[in-house]
Amino acid sequence: MNLNQKFQSAHGTIPYGMTNDYMFRAVLQSNNKVLRGLICSLLHLPDEEVISVEIINPIMLGEAVENKEMRLDINVILNDRTLINLEMQITNKLNWKERSVMYLCRSFDNLKHGQDYAEARPVIHIGFLNYTLFDECPEFYASYKLINVKNYQKYSDSITLNVIDLSRIDLATEEDRQYHIDKWALLFKSTTWEEIKMLASKNECMDEAAKTIYKFNADEQIRKMCRDREEHYQDLKNYERAVSERDSAIISYQKAIAEKEGKIAEQRDTLEQRDNEIAQNAKLIRERDNEIAQNAKLIRERDNEIAQNAKLIREKDEEIAMLRNKIEELKRQE
């Protein structure tokens, strides 16, 4: 039974599909027809305009790799002129924007000493992501260039950054469908042989891709490399989950602290209000005490006046009594 017959009889789950970055690299590196067809779709190029498509950073497929952190992005030169970087990135490392710009700029910095700036090769970075880069503005296939932010005048075609969101194939535009970009995305995301065969039956390049995926899934060493990559990304996910849980715990702790600080601030405000009330009451008491002291002073002064008047009255009474005695004595003498 030849490869095509084996492929046609395949059914069930695909062990490793194109979202595995090693399988992605293996298929595109080993089958130039698939690479060519994919690039024509992504860049909206008719086949006759593509003279050559060459991978300039090939690896030894199936060869053991000690470093699990190895980059598997594919550097391509189109028509001996344009540099294209293809990268499959399923795990959200939260640094794609900065990382992709850095790779793009590194690729554009390709002049040798003495070359004129006009000889710089244009560079295109194409990232396949399985998550949405901008939640506020989801898009299936987005292209970014240098433009004037006021009038949208294009500054240069020298650098372009394209992003395909494999999680939002539902947002594919009519133009995306016209160039079969949505079908490539579906092929990359296929998890069963039935799905991939249905897509392959409608497109020659995708048929080549599907058969190459089948061939490499039958290769023990390639499967091992794919498994190693999945284990690596699973470790990353576990690490990201641990970091996320830690961050959630920190946020919860910070929220609890904020709530506690809010309660303390409320209690402080209540205490300050109570202190103000006590201080106000103390002031009123002091004012009342001053009034009482003032009234007591007035009472003492009035008591002194009364005592003084009583003394004067007594003295007057004594004078009157003496005068009466004298009058009585004078009457007796008469």
Side-chain angles (χ1 to χ4, degrees), residues 174-191:
E174 184 59 38
E175 184 179 47
D176 297 332
R177 290 190 287 272
Q178 178 186 346
Y179 289 98
H180 310 299
I181 301 172
D182 60 324
K183 296 297 187 296
W184 280 106
L186 287 169
L187 183 136
F188 289 171
K189 293 269 288 184
S190 294
T191 57

Side-chain angles (χ1 to χ4, degrees), residues 289-317:
D289 287 344
N290 289 335
E291 288 178 4
I292 292 171
Q294 186 68 25
N295 290 334
K297 180 182 178 183
L298 292 173
I299 291 170
R300 286 194 301 273
E301 289 176 351
R302 186 165 296 175
D303 287 344
N304 290 335
E305 288 178 4
I306 292 170
Q308 187 68 28
N309 290 334
K311 181 180 178 183
L312 291 174
I313 290 170
R314 285 194 303 273
E315 290 177 351
K316 290 290 184 181
D317 288 342

Side-chain angles (χ1 to χ4, degrees), residues 249-263:
I250 291 174
I251 291 171
S252 298
Y253 179 67
Q254 290 173 335
K255 183 179 179 181
I257 290 176
E259 290 176 353
K260 188 171 291 186
E261 288 177 342
K263 290 180 180 178

Side-chain angles (χ1 to χ4, degrees), residues 192-206:
T192 67
W193 293 115
E194 287 78 8
E195 289 175 324
I196 208 168
K197 282 189 287 186
M198 182 179 67
L199 291 164
S201 66
K202 301 175 183 179
N203 183 287
E204 186 178 351
C205 289
M206 292 183 193

